[in-house]
Amino acid sequence: QRTKVVVTSAQMSITQEAFDALVAEVAAIKADANITKAEENTFYLLVCGVFVFLMQAGFALLAAGSIRMKNVKNILLKSVMDACLGGLVWYLFGYGIAYDADNGVDGHSANGFIGAGPTNFALSGVRDWETGSGEDLGLGNIGYSWISFFFQYAFAAAAATIVSGSVAERCSLMGYLVYCVLIIGFIYPIVVHWVWDGSGFLSAFNPNAMLAGMTDFAGSGVVHMTGGIAAAIAAAILGPRIGRFEEPEKFQGQSASLQVLGTFLLWFGWYGFNPGSTLLLHSDGGYYARDMARAAVTTTLSGATAACVGLFLKRLLPPALGGAGHVWDLGHTCN
């Protein structure tokens, strides 16, 4: 049996005090949701940055497995110093050159070639004790300023490590350390500033960019082209190892197991490198989670395709064109 309930307009009325309380409660819920999203963005970048940093282990193992036993400690020490010396250099001045966080602050005007604002040099301007008000949460109180430094540091270390393989077994440790300081502290940060900083003269975020700017989602040009050009120049200067092409059988990698393990660690790191380059999961104006997922699929397919194509090209091409003489080449496939 149903009972008919009649509600009069007088019963539906609400006092101003109750209405104000309801509005305040809705605002508090919205603020909590915004804080949660911001914290998730910070944690997301932490996880992706850790993935990218793990690529240092991948580079080290792949390189160690690809050279002769007598030079393993040398190249492993270089890999360690990429992370350690590179981290200090990036903290002190590399990050500040790459990203100018002070454009328009206290009369500072960022230029398109190099960052010069004081905030990101040794992170001296990050003030995480100052919180925003209302919906303006600021960056410091959710840790995003700190984690952005860490994420970009992992990229810088990867750019430096690209060169270590190209000069393996023929570059002194001191010479390599000088190179490490120069590329992480000066060369790479300048390229980053050109393309990824909003004031860079090649940045798509700069309304006055040259030729409308360029878009580099995850560093194919900024990271890998910079490291690749540096590697090519270094290899050209040092030349091949003595006897490398006269007696190639003496230069076989000492551990196939390390090569494969290093390759899979690098592949694992790519899932932080590429999907993580969205930099956010939550945004009011974009579908960053969707883009992250697409990047993960693209990363999977590109790595798998490169390995298969490399395997068969090395197997089928004649030695005069770089083939392995009808041999299935594991090292080439991994690289």
Side-chain angles (χ1 to χ4, degrees):
Q1 184 178 0
R2 295 182 180 180
T3 301
K4 185 176 181 181
V5 179
V6 179
V7 180
T8 66
S9 59
Q11 291 174 308
M12 295 180 61
S13 64
I14 184 172
T15 65
Q16 184 64 42
E17 181 180 355
F19 178 78
D20 292 341
L22 182 61
V23 170
E25 184 177 355
V26 171
I29 293 173
K30 185 177 180 180
D32 286 342
N34 287 338
I35 292 174
T36 300
K37 289 180 180 180
E39 290 173 339
E40 288 175 355
N41 284 336
T42 298
F43 184 72
Y44 170 68
L45 210 57
L46 168 63
V47 172
C48 291
V50 169
F51 282 14
V52 178
F53 184 74
L54 189 61
M55 294 178 75
Q56 295 298 315
F59 281 120
L61 293 177
L62 178 60
S66 301
I67 62 175
R68 293 169 292 178
M69 178 63 73
K70 66 177 183 176
N71 293 311
V72 168
K73 285 187 177 181
N74 178 274
I75 201 165
L76 289 179
L77 183 55
K78 291 174 181 175
S79 295
V80 170
M81 294 313 296
D82 279 331
C84 298
L85 180 61
L88 295 176
V89 171
W90 184 251
Y91 169 73
L92 291 174
F93 45 88
Y95 189 50
I97 291 174
Y99 293 98
D100 193 329
D102 298 286
N103 189 28
V105 177
D106 295 332
H108 173 71
S109 180
N111 69 72
F113 184 80
I114 188 171
T119 292
N120 285 334
F121 285 94
L123 298 177
S124 58
V126 177
R127 306 170 69 86
D128 61 355
W129 59 90
E130 294 182 355
T131 61
S133 60
E135 295 185 13
D136 181 16
L137 301 173
L139 290 176
N141 66 322
I142 57 169
Y144 199 82
S145 296
W146 299 106
I147 206 61
S148 294
F149 162 82
F150 170 70
F151 186 75
Q152 296 299 333
Y153 151 68
F155 270 53
T161 308
I162 291 172
V163 178
S164 65
S166 71
V167 299
E169 299 190 294
R170 58 197 188 281
C171 179
S172 70
L173 178 62
M174 187 55 64
Y176 186 82
L177 294 182
V178 171
Y179 146 78
C180 183
V181 171
L182 288 176
I183 193 167
I184 295 181
F186 187 69
I187 299 172
Y188 171 76
I190 287 180
V191 179
V192 170
H193 184 78
W194 292 350
V195 180
W196 282 342
D197 187 86
S199 58
F201 77 93
L202 288 177
S203 173
F205 302 104
N206 184 353
N208 300 314
M210 179 184 295
L211 300 177
M214 64 169 288
T215 300
D216 186 344
F217 176 71
S220 60
V222 174
V223 179
H224 294 96
M225 187 175 71
T226 302
I229 291 176
I233 293 174
I237 292 174
L238 293 175
R241 290 164 287 182
I242 298 174
R244 169 65 180 84
F245 296 105
E246 291 74 23
E247 300 176 291
E249 67 279 359
K250 294 183 177 181
F251 293 85
Q252 295 298 316
Q254 58 94 17
S255 174
S257 300
L258 291 181
Q259 288 179 320
V260 172
L261 183 58
T263 298
F264 277 112
L265 283 176
L266 286 171
W267 197 340
F268 182 83
W270 291 341
Y271 292 112
F273 208 107
N274 296 335
S277 290
T278 60
L279 304 180
L280 301 167
L281 277 180
H282 301 291
S283 173
D284 293 335
Y287 301 97
Y288 289 166
R290 177 205 63 187
D291 296 340
M292 174 271 292
R294 286 180 172 179
V297 173
T298 303
T299 299
T300 301
L301 296 179
S302 60
T305 302
C308 292
V309 172
L311 174 67
F312 286 101
L313 282 179
K314 195 71 172 177
R315 173 71 169 77
L316 299 175
L317 286 177
L321 296 178
H326 301 288
V327 174
W328 301 105
D329 193 318
L330 173 65
H332 186 270
T333 303
C334 289
N335 278 281

